[in-house]
């Protein structure tokens, strides 16, 4: 199949030797592909691109991109030109957009050499790409980013109107896509959603038949008015809940587990971990797991001696032997303690405990640390052994 190469995991993706690893990730490429197909059905007839920036949200750009290609994805978004170059080496025929703009005139040749489409969001971006010259006998292709309320990247509406009028006369650039980004789509009732939609519709009229894209994961579920020609889901592909307060329709893609390296017994009145904030009120069996905040298992999930204590509903928990068990004391750099007292003598060194995945939703694990699934995924350290399953 054109543009597809067989996938063989390498050391950069596999991580530690599984016999020596303190933690492991199981990444289900079949679930990833099914999530893509669900989004295709949701967004139809709009095209669905795959956002694979930040090493595919921490899961590995190479295996993730190949799995999405096999599922039918042909357009991808990355944040940085280096990410685009890495993706081009994996997928020869993919359409690749670079979200963070054009990194100056010295970077322009690399975009052209690797057939990367810059998303131009400033006057300097426009001037630089225009000055770089034509692609053969054609003006340089690009995407145009207009800000509709995010105040992050993008031309203002007035700048976008002025560019559209001038470019209609000069033909200096060939916009392939007009895009903007939603700020509050995970809250369907937020008034900014409608404001951004109306602002984008107005700018779109100035760009004629140019394809357009407004929706991220959350906005894909706001209805057909937000779909335009292309949607750009990210977190939903990887199993995160796209919309707050609704049942998550996406399948879990990644399961994170830590190895239990010791089981110890402690008496009432003793304390656990740094700061001695966790004081025991019963005879307690403690499982010490070989993962901590150096592995992206956030210290804030401890709720012990941190400002989040009492703000989020409960501390983080794990699952072992089919039971949920709470984090006990502060999460440390390399180790986390769990209260496994209610499991009796079932837990032993060498067992594994799930941090999030098929039993603990990634959004729940993130909420326990006062953060979001995006941050939890992209914080995953390199000490995990990664196993890719499915996707064939």
């Amino acid at each position: 199949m054109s543009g597809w190469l067989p996938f063989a995991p390498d050391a950069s993706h596999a991580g530690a030797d599984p016999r020596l690893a303190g933690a492991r990730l199981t990444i289900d490429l079949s679930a990833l592909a099914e999530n893509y197909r669900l989004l295709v059905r949701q967004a139809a007839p709009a095209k669905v691109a795959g956002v694979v920036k930040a090493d595919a949200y921490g899961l590995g750009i190479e295996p993730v991109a190949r799995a999405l290609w096999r599922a039918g994805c042909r357009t991808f978004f990355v944040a940085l030109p280096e990410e685009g170059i890495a993706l081009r080496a994996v997928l020869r025929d993919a359409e690749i957009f670079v979200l963070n703009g054009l990194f100056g005139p010295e970077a322009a040749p690399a975009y052209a050499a690797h057939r990367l489409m810059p998303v131009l969001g400033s006057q300097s971006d426009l001037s630089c790409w225009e000055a770089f010259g034509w692609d053969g006998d054609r003006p340089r292709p690009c995407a145009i980013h207009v800000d509709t309320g995010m105040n992050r990247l993008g031309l203002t509406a007035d700048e976008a109107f002025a560019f559209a009028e001038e470019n209609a006369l000069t033909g200096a650039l060939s916009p392939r896509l007009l895009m903007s980004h939603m700020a509050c789509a995970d809250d369907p009732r937020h008034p900014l959603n409608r404001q951004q939609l109306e602002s984008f519709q107005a700018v779109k009229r100035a760009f004629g038949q140019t394809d357009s894209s407004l929706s991220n994961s959350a906005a894909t579920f706001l209805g057909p008015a937000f779909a335009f020609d292309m949607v750009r889901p990210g977190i939903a592909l990887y199993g995160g809940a796209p919309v707050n307060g609704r049942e998550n329709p996406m399948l879990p893609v990644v399961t994170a587990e830590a190895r239990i390296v010791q089981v110890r017994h402690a008496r009432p009145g003793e304390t656990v971990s740094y700061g001695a904030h966790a004081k025991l009120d019963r005879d307690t069996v403690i499982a010490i797991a070989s993962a901590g905040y150096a592995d992206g298992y956030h210290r804030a999930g401890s709720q012990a001696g941190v400002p989040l204590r009492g703000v989020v509903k409960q501390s983080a928990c794990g699952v072992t032997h089919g039971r949920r068990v709470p984090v006990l004391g502060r999460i440390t750099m390399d180790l986390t303690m769990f209260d496994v007292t209610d499991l009796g003598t079932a837990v032993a060194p060498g067992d594994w405990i799930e941090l999030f995945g098929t039993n603990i939703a990634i959004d729940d694990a993130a909420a326990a640390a006062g953060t979001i699934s995006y941050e939890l995924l992209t914080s995953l350290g390199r000490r995990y052994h990664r196993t890719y399953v499915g996707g064939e």
Side-chain angles (χ1 to χ4, degrees):
M1 180 184 295
S2 177
W4 180 84
L5 297 172
F7 167 60
D10 60 25
S12 65
H13 287 135
D17 184 323
R19 299 164 298 177
L20 307 177
R24 65 189 183 189
L25 297 176
T26 303
I27 298 159
D28 188 342
L29 298 178
S30 292
L32 173 78
E34 184 53 39
N35 285 343
Y36 177 79
R37 287 188 283 266
L38 186 154
L39 290 161
V40 168
R41 295 191 295 270
Q42 175 68 30
K47 183 165 64 173
V48 178
V51 179
V52 293
K53 60 184 181 177
D55 199 29
Y57 285 50
L59 302 187
I61 192 170
E62 181 178 347
V64 164
R66 293 190 193 282
L68 290 173
W69 181 274
R70 289 194 295 268
C73 185
R74 295 295 180 265
T75 301
F76 297 83
F77 284 81
V78 295
L80 306 174
E82 286 189 338
E83 294 175 334
I85 293 170
L87 181 57
R88 176 62 68 209
V90 176
L91 298 176
R92 293 186 298 267
D93 298 332
E95 185 176 42
I96 302 172
F97 291 89
V98 180
L99 288 164
N100 285 15
L102 188 65
F103 283 21
E106 67 282 358
Y111 286 73
H114 297 279
R115 293 180 288 119
L116 307 179
M117 200 88 66
V119 179
L120 308 179
S122 69
Q123 296 284 16
S124 61
D125 277 353
L126 295 172
S127 299
C128 178
W129 197 235
E130 182 176 340
F132 183 58
W134 285 31
D135 179 12
D137 60 350
R138 298 174 301 172
R140 286 280 172 199
C142 60
I144 303 297
H145 189 169
V146 58
D147 176 52
T148 57
M150 185 80 166
N151 268 318
R152 192 174 62 174
L153 293 177
L155 302 172
T156 66
D158 287 343
E159 288 172 338
F161 288 132
F163 167 75
E165 183 176 355
E166 179 183 350
N167 199 63
L169 297 175
T170 66
L173 296 177
S174 298
R176 299 279 184 85
L177 184 71
L178 174 70
M179 61 166 282
S180 189
H181 193 72
M182 298 289 291
C184 303
D186 55 353
D187 178 2
R189 294 174 293 183
H190 200 288
L192 187 56
N193 294 332
R194 179 58 55 178
Q195 293 173 31
Q196 286 195 264
L197 174 62
E198 293 173 355
S199 177
F200 189 66
Q201 288 171 330
V203 174
K204 175 177 167 51
R205 287 192 287 271
F207 280 78
Q209 298 303 309
T210 302
D211 283 352
S212 53
S213 176
L214 178 63
S215 291
N216 53 10
S217 289
T220 301
F221 291 85
L222 289 182
F226 290 82
F228 292 93
D229 300 295
M230 179 193 295
V231 299
R232 313 181 310 271
I235 193 63
L237 288 172
Y238 308 110
V243 181
N244 296 334
R246 293 183 182 175
E247 184 177 354
N248 185 4
M250 316 313 297
L251 296 175
V253 172
V254 56
T255 297
E257 299 170 287
R259 187 192 301 271
I260 294 172
V261 294
Q262 189 177 122
V263 177
R264 61 189 305 123
H265 297 260
R267 296 188 297 271
E270 294 183 343
T271 60
V272 180
S273 197
Y274 290 117
H277 288 280
K279 188 173 183 178
L280 303 178
D281 58 7
R282 63 173 180 170
D283 289 320
T284 303
V285 183
I286 307 169
I288 295 89
S290 186
Y293 58 76
D295 304 290
Y297 196 56
H298 297 307
R299 181 179 181 272
S302 311
Q303 282 195 14
V306 296
L308 285 170
R309 185 178 177 89
V311 177
V312 295
K313 293 181 181 179
Q314 61 182 20
S315 63
C317 61
V319 168
T320 187
H321 293 270
R323 293 280 297 274
R324 287 198 176 217
V325 293
V327 167
L328 191 57
R330 288 182 182 173
I331 295 168
T332 69
M333 183 181 290
D334 312 297
L335 299 164
T336 301
M337 285 62 70
F338 292 88
D339 184 345
V340 296
T341 308
D342 294 338
L343 285 170
T345 60
V347 181
D351 291 348
W352 292 85
I353 186 164
E354 180 184 312
L355 308 177
F356 61 84
T358 55
N359 295 292
I360 300 173
I362 188 171
D363 295 282
D364 292 342
T371 187
I372 56 176
S373 55
Y374 303 72
E375 185 175 32
L376 192 57
L377 278 181
T378 56
S379 298
L380 294 173
R382 299 191 62 80
R383 300 195 296 190
Y384 291 92
H385 174 74
R386 285 166 162 79
T387 298
Y388 295 90
V389 300
E392 295 301 329

